[in-house]
Amino acid sequence: MMRQNLGRSTRSIYLCLAFLSLALHLLLAFLCFSILQTACVPSSSSSSSSTSSLPRTDSEHRQSLSHSSSPAASASNKLPTIPQNEEHHKLNSNKLNHKEKDLLWDATERENKLTGGLIQKVKGWSKLEALFKHPLYNLPPQSLQDDDWLLRVKTNTEHASDKESEEEEKEDSIDADSDWESASEEEGYDKVSWTKEVETHPPWLRFHLGISRWELYDRKDPNLAQLTHYLARQRVLGAVQKTGGTQLKLLLSFPNYGQALLKPMRQSRDAETDVNLFYFSDFERHNGEIAAFHLDRVLGFNRIPPVVGRLINVTSEIREITTDHRLSRTFFTSPAGNVCFYGQCEYYCSTEHPACGQPHSLEVSLAAMLPDLSLAPRRSWRSPWRRSYSRTKLAMWEKDPAYCDTVKQTPPYNHGTRLVDLIDMAILDFLMSNMDRHHYETFEKFGNETFLLHLDNGRAFGRHSQDEPTILVPLKQCCSIRRSTLLRLRLLSLPGFRLSDVMRESLAQDPLAPLAPLLSEGNLSALDRRLASVLQAVQTCQEHHTDVIYNDLEGYDTINSMHEEQNNK
């Protein structure tokens, strides 16, 4: 009898333990499922905004391609995927051990460190968009007369009067009374018909017609996006080597009669200039040209022609279509099987320094060409702060601290805005560490009352680990700066408009950004560091001089009151 009662008690205990064990397993499984959802399932809005705002690395780009090609792409965005060679590490359906939790936590931490300070669009907010909506970037435009446009479309009245004078027919304008039609399509050019209507003009022609006395382009002009898109996508019709300069560059032609200046990738994007090289011995960088255009635009200067990155097939888009025999003779196949070429130039044009595809694709920068010199002549000016380009000699400005006093007495720097324009250019060069500014250009039509063209920026962003203070000498010696420039620099030093952040976001719009960031994090952080140096130099000038600020904002009450508030802080 006792044994029977004992057996019943034992079975009851076993049954209770079984139910308790089952309940614990179910509770643990529910908790694990909740942890997986919380740690691994981001909200769709934040995920999409983060992805669209950041340049993707090569691995991220490959992952996005593989996800988009798979029917389970949507599922892969919600649950963590497990590599095929790690099948034996799959999570148990009932529990998640501490090691696996730590791995998930470490992965989340790494992602937060990578993107936490980089994400520009959070809940639909963009630092770049906010910057361009600021009053400093939306000043009322200056009233422009007919003579303030570099090129213009003639009216019917002007066309009739021009027929009476052959000299006036040479004026730099387009005949609007009759259509211009291409002769044929035999050479591969498009059959086009241009009239006085803007809609008939290709993007490059609209760019030319939009150049004014005060800026190269209007940042708000929708044609700017069309122009960069056409540079990145148009079929290449011809490629020849461009004469002049010291390094390799090509001139590409497109079916709509447009052209672009090509600079090839010669080294990795994050490669720093060798400390043992002189400033005039460094490679030109394709990403330096691209980033310089974006920086010039972010600073509100609008003085660099639009530049865009592109992947070029060196075989089908250069070698097979070029008519330049000097260029075609320099093509060869490397031991690694890559198609290379080196052209003919003063520096780095040899088999030891070729531009090579992988095996055919090559990253390049394409810059929109300015109007032909026969239509819009340009004048080249020697920079007063030009370097000696010697391994032993110093320039005069490097030996004379009062050198700017002499410059101020020399035309055209003794009146107008030429001096502060030059200091704008020096600030731009200092921020991107460009020591190769020996000349600058202006359009002859506008005389001395016009902006400076910031051309040829291939040696920019060469070294981010150190700054070159001598580039900022024009500001330090002359102690003069535009009020609009100073206010924008102060704005870009604020956390809400940080220069490195808006540059990162701006560069992410380039077609080459999905392959890898156009600028390394070192170069981006250097922008903030150098910006602080510029503002410190201005402050030092203000402590010793009273006439530092050149007021180019007369009549803008809102902006002037903003300047007073900043000074009081």
Side-chain angles (χ1 to χ4, degrees):
M1 186 69 179
M2 291 180 63
R3 290 182 180 177
Q4 189 176 8
N5 291 336
L6 181 61
R8 291 176 180 174
S9 300
T10 303
R11 285 195 297 271
S12 298
I13 292 172
Y14 286 163
L15 186 60
C16 290
L17 289 175
F19 277 115
L20 182 60
S21 177
L22 180 61
L24 288 175
H25 277 77
L26 290 174
L27 179 61
L28 184 59
F30 176 76
L31 290 175
C32 292
F33 182 71
S34 300
I35 292 173
L36 279 173
Q37 279 192 320
T38 304
C40 306
V41 185
S43 64
S44 59
S45 60
S46 62
S47 175
S48 60
S49 63
S50 302
T51 304
S52 63
S53 302
L54 284 174
R56 294 176 292 177
T57 61
D58 289 336
S59 61
E60 291 171 330
H61 183 58
R62 287 191 294 268
Q63 288 174 4
S64 65
L65 289 177
S66 62
H67 290 173
S68 62
S69 61
S70 170
S74 59
S76 65
N77 290 333
K78 295 182 179 180
L79 294 176
T81 57
I82 302 173
Q84 293 179 357
N85 61 347
E86 297 181 4
E87 289 290 339
H88 59 285
H89 290 301
K90 288 184 179 179
L91 294 175
N92 186 282
S93 60
N94 292 328
K95 61 181 179 179
L96 182 67
N97 61 43
H98 292 293
K99 183 177 181 181
E100 289 163 337
K101 289 181 181 178
D102 290 340
L103 288 174
L104 284 173
W105 176 258
D106 290 342
T108 305
E109 280 297 293
R110 287 195 299 271
E111 182 175 337
N112 288 339
K113 288 179 181 179
L114 178 64
T115 63
L118 312 185
I119 294 176
Q120 305 304 311
K121 290 190 176 182
V122 181
K123 296 181 180 179
W125 187 74
S126 160
K127 285 187 178 182
L128 184 64
E129 292 175 3
L131 180 74
F132 286 152
K133 289 179 181 178
H134 193 278
L136 281 169
Y137 289 82
N138 293 277
L139 299 174
Q142 300 187 43
S143 58
L144 298 175
Q145 307 300 321
D146 287 344
D147 291 341
D148 292 329
W149 295 102
L150 182 64
L151 303 172
R152 61 191 179 88
V153 176
K154 292 181 182 178
T155 62
N156 293 340
T157 303
E158 289 175 319
H159 175 67
S161 61
D162 283 352
K163 289 183 178 180
E164 301 175 0
S165 172
E166 291 183 359
E167 292 183 359
E168 290 183 7
E169 287 181 358
K170 296 180 181 180
E171 185 180 356
D172 50 354
S173 55
I174 298 174
D175 184 0
D177 190 54
S178 59
D179 299 351
W180 184 90
E181 295 185 1
S182 57
S184 69
E185 299 178 67
E186 294 180 1
E187 299 178 354
Y189 287 99
D190 295 337
K191 184 70 174 178
V192 297
S193 177
W194 300 338
T195 69
K196 62 182 179 181
E197 300 300 328
V198 176
E199 293 76 13
T200 66
H201 302 159
W204 65 265
L205 181 55
R206 291 183 223 168
F207 165 57
H208 289 176
L209 292 171
I211 300 174
S212 72
R213 179 184 296 272
W214 307 117
E215 61 183 0
L216 195 58
Y217 60 86
D218 181 359
R219 178 182 54 79
K220 300 178 184 178
D221 186 357
N223 180 63
L224 192 62
Q226 298 176 22
L227 177 62
T228 54
H229 182 269
Y230 124 80
L231 288 173
R233 299 296 181 87
Q234 270 278 339
R235 176 171 59 89
V236 179
L237 188 60
V240 296
Q241 186 167 345
K242 189 162 189 318
T243 58
T246 58
Q247 296 197 29
L248 176 64
K249 51 185 177 290
L250 306 182
L251 189 64
L252 300 189
S253 300
F254 302 109
N256 64 358
Y257 294 87
Q259 293 182 317
L261 183 67
L262 179 152
K263 290 190 177 182
M265 181 178 186
R266 307 295 293 274
Q267 56 190 343
S268 63
R269 300 182 188 182
D270 56 353
E272 277 203 276
T273 301
D274 190 330
V275 294
N276 295 310
L277 285 181
F278 286 93
Y279 51 88
F280 49 82
S281 302
D282 190 19
F283 275 121
E284 289 190 337
R285 293 170 174 77
H286 73 301
N287 60 317
E289 290 283 0
I290 300 168
F293 161 65
H294 284 263
L295 179 59
D296 182 82
R297 188 173 71 111
V298 163
L299 294 174
F301 293 154
N302 303 338
R303 300 167 194 169
I304 294 181
V307 185
V308 67
R310 177 168 174 169
L311 278 177
I312 286 286
N313 187 307
V314 295
T315 301
S316 62
E317 295 182 298
I318 299 179
R319 185 177 190 174
E320 293 178 354
I321 63 175
T322 185
T323 57
D324 189 336
H325 299 295
R326 297 181 308 154
L327 176 63
S328 61
R329 285 197 298 265
T330 67
F331 275 85
F332 66 94
T333 301
S334 72
N338 297 323
V339 179
C340 307
F341 67 100
Y342 53 87
Q344 295 182 6
C345 60
E346 293 183 26
Y347 296 131
Y348 305 123
C349 282
S350 65
T351 53
E352 292 79 17
H353 304 97
C356 295
Q358 296 184 355
H360 301 279
S361 296
L362 174 67
E363 286 187 25
V364 301
S365 67
L366 293 182
M369 295 295 292
L370 295 174
D372 190 87
L373 293 175
S374 62
L375 292 175
R378 301 192 300 271
R379 177 172 178 177
S380 179
W381 302 78
R382 181 188 175 100
S383 172
W385 281 272
R386 181 184 186 273
R387 297 179 184 274
S388 65
Y389 287 82
S390 168
R391 295 178 178 84
T392 56
K393 296 180 181 179
L394 294 177
M396 183 62 68
W397 58 268
E398 295 178 281
K399 298 181 289 185
D400 182 8
Y403 176 78
C404 185
D405 295 337
T406 303
V407 175
K408 288 180 177 179
Q409 299 173 8
T410 306
Y413 308 100
N414 59 346
H415 69 280
T417 63
R418 181 59 63 89
L419 183 61
V420 289
D421 286 338
L422 199 68
I423 291 173
D424 280 350
M425 187 166 61
I427 292 172
L428 172 72
D429 285 335
F430 175 72
L431 291 174
M432 59 187 185
S433 192
N434 178 26
M435 301 174 66
D436 191 33
R437 187 72 67 187
H438 44 84
H439 286 78
Y440 63 89
E441 295 184 13
T442 59
F443 289 110
E444 283 189 1
K445 176 179 178 178
F446 300 136
N448 294 333
E449 300 299 323
T450 186
F451 65 94
L452 313 185
L453 289 163
H454 300 166
L455 305 177
D456 198 6
N457 304 286
R459 288 200 171 107
F461 298 102
R463 187 176 298 150
H464 59 75
S465 57
Q466 67 182 59
D467 305 334
E468 182 51 56
T470 59
I471 304 176
L472 211 55
V473 164
L475 170 62
K476 295 179 177 179
Q477 288 186 345
C478 300
C479 276
S480 184
I481 187 173
R482 288 178 183 270
R483 172 166 287 179
S484 60
T485 299
L486 177 59
L487 289 178
R488 290 190 182 111
L489 293 176
R490 287 177 174 172
L491 186 67
L492 290 165
S493 69
L494 301 177
F497 303 96
R498 186 176 287 110
L499 179 57
S500 59
D501 290 342
V502 295
M503 273 294 290
R504 187 184 295 105
E505 185 179 349
S506 184
L507 288 170
Q509 301 170 358
D510 188 85
L512 290 181
L515 301 178
L518 267 299
L519 285 183
S520 67
E521 284 303 309
N523 273 309
L524 290 171
S525 61
L527 286 172
D528 296 329
R529 183 180 68 241
R530 292 165 185 163
L531 175 56
S533 299
V534 175
L535 294 176
Q536 180 59 52
V538 175
Q539 182 177 341
T540 302
C541 284
Q542 290 179 313
E543 292 172 355
H544 297 86
H545 303 275
T546 58
D547 57 345
V548 175
I549 309 299
Y550 177 85
N551 190 8
D552 61 333
L553 297 175
E554 285 286 351
Y556 300 107
D557 297 334
T558 304
I559 302 299
N560 288 326
S561 61
M562 184 187 309
H563 178 58
E564 293 176 2
E565 290 178 3
Q566 288 186 357
N567 286 335
N568 294 331
K569 291 182 179 179

